[in-house]
Amino acid sequence: MKLSEVKSVLGKLETIAFQLPNGELVPNHFHVTEVGKITKHFIDCGGTVRNEEVVNFQLWNANDYDHRLHPEKLLNIIELSENTLGIGDLEVEVEYQGITIQKFGIDFDGKNFLLTTKQTDCLAKDKCNIPEEKPKLNLVDLNSGSCCSPDSNCC
């Protein structure tokens, strides 16, 4: 989700809720402790130099039950960050404390911001000779005996 989309959604909300991938909600007394621009300059395993930029929100589960973050306050924090840090309309990722700091993508379901799982990946599969996934065997074929019979030449 791009920053402009997050801002558009915030402008229509009365309260903010973030939902973890397991369905649990981040406690509603959370704080957004950081809004920043993360720049990653790196070289992949195939030797290609890459640059990535994202907007990062850090959520913190505070023991401050008297102060709830309202949409207009988060909008103000975002706008201050855009002006001060020169943040453009980038993809947003969210950090939240689990067993360790976890990074999530973000989406919206009409009510809650959804924290979506992120995966690592090889960016140079063509240079690393990563095999494509092997086709899954059909259990019907296994049960028919045709694959692993002594005359099948497959074992």
Side-chain angles (χ1 to χ4, degrees), residues 22-81:
N22 67 4
E24 291 180 31
L25 291 175
V26 170
N28 60 7
H29 53 276
F30 74 91
H31 287 247
V32 174
T33 59
E34 298 176 9
V35 173
K37 178 170 64 171
I38 305 284
T39 302
K40 183 177 175 183
H41 184 202
F42 62 101
I43 188 167
D44 68 25
C45 59
T48 301
V49 176
R50 298 178 185 266
N51 288 294
E52 293 179 359
E53 285 188 330
V54 296
V55 175
N56 185 71
F57 294 174
Q58 185 181 80
L59 305 184
W60 181 53
N61 182 5
N63 291 326
D64 177 6
Y65 298 97
D66 296 326
H67 299 93
R68 303 282 195 258
L69 182 64
H70 295 281
E72 63 277 3
K73 176 69 173 175
L74 182 53
L75 269 172
N76 289 338
I77 294 168
I78 291 169
E79 288 169 2
L80 176 62
S81 300

Side-chain angles (χ1 to χ4, degrees), residues 85-96:
L85 303 174
I87 295 174
D89 191 23
L90 302 171
E91 287 292 321
V92 176
E93 72 177 19
V94 176
E95 290 181 352
Y96 183 67

